[in-house]
Amino acid sequence: MDNNFRTPVQLSVLPPVMGQEQFATYCGTTKDTVRGWVQTGTLPSVKIGRQRLVNLSLLQDELKAGKEFFESGHYTDS
């Protein structure tokens, strides 16, 4: 995976939700890091059954609207 952050991401090809481990692989970080982001409300998530998945649909909307910073507690109601 190209970790050049200047390369645009094709957001339209992403599914609406993604497992935390898969999202970590996609971003080039660890699953523990993603789990921490979800637990602290830094990353939007949705609970489906027993799993808490990354809410890519909301993340895409936020990025398209120009959001650049994701802070702890922003997605605590997700």
Side-chain angles (χ1 to χ4, degrees):
M1 178 170 177
D2 181 14
N3 284 330
N4 181 352
F5 294 107
R6 298 188 195 295
T7 304
V9 176
Q10 293 288 343
L11 295 176
S12 62
V13 298
L14 296 175
V17 295
M18 183 181 285
Q20 293 180 35
E21 188 169 348
Q22 185 180 7
F23 186 76
T25 300
Y26 182 78
C27 291
T29 190
T30 67
K31 61 183 178 181
D32 290 334
T33 296
V34 173
R35 184 179 308 119
W37 290 340
V38 168
Q39 289 176 345
T40 60
T42 306
L43 194 61
S45 65
V46 60
K47 189 167 184 173
I48 300 177
R50 293 182 185 180
Q51 294 185 343
R52 182 153 292 278
L53 305 171
V54 177
N55 185 341
L56 295 180
S57 181
L58 180 55
L59 182 60
Q60 287 176 28
D61 291 345
E62 296 271 13
L63 291 170
K64 286 178 184 176
K67 185 172 178 85
E68 295 181 3
F69 300 100
F70 292 81
E71 299 175 3
S72 179
H74 186 89
Y75 298 103
T76 55
D77 296 335
S78 299

